[in-house]
Amino acid sequence: MAASLMFWGPESRARAGGVGGLRGPAPVTMDSFLFGCELSGHTRSFTFKVEEEDDAEHVLALTMLCLTEGAKDECNVVEVVARNHDHQEIAVPVANLRLSCQPMLSLDDFQLQPPVTFRLKSGSGPVQITGRHQIVTVSSVSEEEDSEEEESEEDEEDELYPILPAKKQRGRPKPPLVS
């Protein structure tokens, strides 16, 4: 089996923007991709990182860590190496898995900002780490597109006809119908 695996497939895509013709915040696009890697005695660490010149916001939401086929009944400690709010690198153990008592741990979308390194601190694994890579992009609307959009809104307004008052009927009023 490969030392580390990463699966990328679109899970969801959502768009949001202005409401009812009012100018709101810039349109936001959110993409979500499946993430997975495996730590073992052969591959003791895996680093998840993104391109630095990318303007999008990236979040790695971990869902589960579990021992897979071939794991021994030993303590498998997985630690995460990331940066804290002061941008200092810190290492924190997030799981202690053992085949006989806790072969799996649910992390309920534990969110991390890349770059993130996963290490198998002790044990021989294999430990599978799964989650979602979420990418949030704020689109900037250019002035040219903005003016085109305003012109199309004005054209739509010109096509609407005003509501006219009802005409009064002349002559005798019709008697009411009696059943």
Side-chain angles (χ1 to χ4, degrees), residues 23 29 35 82-83 119 128-129 143 145:
R23 273 305 199 218
T29 302
F35 165 80
R83 299 203 176 273
R119 285 190 201 150
Q128 183 72 35
I129 302 171
E143 291 178 23
E145 290 173 345

Side-chain angles (χ1 to χ4, degrees), residues 4-15:
S4 64
L5 302 172
M6 197 174 307
F7 302 97
W8 298 90
E11 286 183 351
S12 67
R13 185 176 192 96
R15 288 194 176 266

Side-chain angles (χ1 to χ4, degrees), residues 6-141:
M6 197 174 307
F7 302 97
W8 298 90
E11 286 183 351
S12 67
R13 185 176 192 96
R15 288 194 176 266
V19 177
L22 299 175
R23 273 305 199 218
V28 175
T29 302
M30 183 175 152
D31 292 315
S32 183
F33 300 94
L34 187 62
F35 165 80
C37 71
E38 185 175 88
L39 304 177
S40 66
H42 301 291
T43 305
R44 301 203 62 84
S45 69
F46 177 82
T47 300
F48 176 81
K49 55 187 171 185
V50 295
E51 294 180 25
E52 296 212 9
E53 59 262 0
D54 189 356
D55 290 338
E57 182 178 332
H58 296 263
V59 175
L60 185 59
L62 300 180
T63 54
M64 185 175 57
L65 283 87
C66 66
L67 294 171
T68 58
E69 186 178 351
K72 299 174 187 171
D73 193 27
E74 61 186 0
C75 287
N76 291 275
V77 177
V78 177
E79 73 177 2
V80 173
V81 181
R83 299 203 176 273
N84 65 10
H85 67 283
D86 291 329
H87 299 289
Q88 297 171 335
E89 191 173 276
I90 58 170
V92 178
V94 292
N96 185 353
L97 304 175
R98 188 177 188 109
L99 196 57
S100 62
C101 61
Q102 185 173 2
M104 179 184 89
L105 177 65
S106 176
L107 294 175
D108 195 32
D109 285 343
F110 180 61
Q111 296 186 355
L112 299 165
Q113 296 287 328
V116 178
T117 300
F118 302 100
R119 285 190 201 150
L120 186 57
K121 188 76 174 169
S122 68
S124 57
V127 176
Q128 183 72 35
I129 302 171
T130 60
R132 286 187 335 271
H133 174 201
Q134 299 170 328
I135 306 169
V136 178
T137 308
V138 177
S139 302
S140 60
V141 179

Side-chain angles (χ1 to χ4, degrees), residues 150-167:
E150 286 176 11
E151 287 175 19
S152 68
E153 287 175 9
E154 288 173 9
D155 292 343
E156 289 174 348
E157 288 175 6
D158 292 342
E159 292 174 15
L160 297 177
Y161 298 103
I163 298 174
L164 301 174
K167 293 183 181 179

